[in-house]
């Protein structure tokens, strides 16, 4: 069973809202054999123009589901984002290998000290190149096609992964012409 991490920005997450979100996301579990170690991260936002945005990210062992929708009503946004996630799962269900290939997952850590936010205006030019966010990535073995599917599901412009055949670290990216590029790291 999925765990839920539901938080609100400019909106209180009531028990009724929490139950509604959990009920809607529960229907996605039928597509997976084991969701016991997965947490659905749900962010509910209400803006000053009274629109509501719902963002859902569900990191699974073999893929990451992510969708966001905005509408005039918070519960409608929940419905829309759930439908979007379900379409994504069905679309990619046959294309993404959801089983471990018996290989260990390589971990990549990118570390850099975050610049002090109270820097002088003199340091402002230098600080624009400082890393302000660090992400830790677990590289899963997959083909370039699977990486492109993951990238598209996440609505990202690039995706880093371990090539299942060569065991090398590769990056697929979306080109300006809408096609895809591949960067293969050399040892």
């Amino acid at each position: 069973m999925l765990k839920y991490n539901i938080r609100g920005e400019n909106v209180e997450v009531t028990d009724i809202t929490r139950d509604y979100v959990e009920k809607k996301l529960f229907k996605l579990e039928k597509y997976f054999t084991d969701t016991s170690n997965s947490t659905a991260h749900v962010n509910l936002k209400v803006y000053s123009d009274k629109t509501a945005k719902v963002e859902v990210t569900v990191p699974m062992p073999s893929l990451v589901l992510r969708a966001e929708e905005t509408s005039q009503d918070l519960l409608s946004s929940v419905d829309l984002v759930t439908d979007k996630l379900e379409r994504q799962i069905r679309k990619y269900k046959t294309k993404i290998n959801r089983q471990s290939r018996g290989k260990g997952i390589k971990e990549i850590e990118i570390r850099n000290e975050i610049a002090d936010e109270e820097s002088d205006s003199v340091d402002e030019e230098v600080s624009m190149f400082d890393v302000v966010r660090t992400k830790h990535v677990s590289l899963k073995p997959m083909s370039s096609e699977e990486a492109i599917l993951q990238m598209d599901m996440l609505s990202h412009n690039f995706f880093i992964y371990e090539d299942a055949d060569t065991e090398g670290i590769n990056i697929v990216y979306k080109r300006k012409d809408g096609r895809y590029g591949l960067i293969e790291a050399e040892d």
Side-chain angles (χ1 to χ4, degrees), residues 2-54:
L2 271 175
K3 297 177 199 93
Y4 300 96
N5 178 7
I6 303 169
R7 62 187 194 100
E9 292 182 28
N10 299 330
V11 63
E12 180 184 348
V13 181
T14 64
D15 289 339
I16 293 170
T17 305
R18 180 177 304 281
D19 291 343
Y20 188 80
V21 169
E22 290 179 7
K23 178 183 166 200
K24 294 300 278 188
L25 291 177
F26 179 76
K27 74 180 193 174
L28 300 178
E29 291 190 37
K30 66 184 175 188
Y31 294 103
F32 303 99
T33 56
D34 182 23
T35 58
S36 60
N37 293 326
S38 300
T39 302
H41 301 277
V42 182
N43 195 19
L44 310 172
K45 297 179 184 179
V46 175
Y47 297 107
S48 58
D49 64 354
K50 303 297 181 203
T51 58
K53 180 177 183 178
V54 175

Side-chain angles (χ1 to χ4, degrees), residues 27 37 40 59 79 93 100 102 106 108 116 135-136 143 146 171 176 179 186:
K27 74 180 193 174
N37 293 326
D79 292 340
K93 181 178 166 186
S100 171
K106 291 185 179 178
I108 284 191
D116 186 6
K135 289 191 176 187
H136 302 277
S143 68
E146 290 170 314
I171 300 171
K176 289 181 182 177
R179 298 186 306 177
E186 293 181 2

Side-chain angles (χ1 to χ4, degrees), residues 61-76:
S62 58
L63 68 121
V64 177
L65 298 172
R66 184 179 183 288
E68 60 183 57
E69 285 292 337
T70 304
S71 73
Q72 294 299 316
D73 175 44
L74 185 64
L75 299 182
S76 296

Side-chain angles (χ1 to χ4, degrees), residues 103-109 136-141 160-164 166-170 187:
K103 294 183 180 180
I105 296 173
K106 291 185 179 178
E107 297 281 339
I108 284 191
E109 283 190 27
H136 302 277
V137 182
S138 296
L139 299 183
K140 296 175 177 62
I160 184 169
Y161 67 101
E162 176 188 349
D163 187 271
T166 66
E167 296 182 359
I169 296 173
N170 292 352
D187 291 332

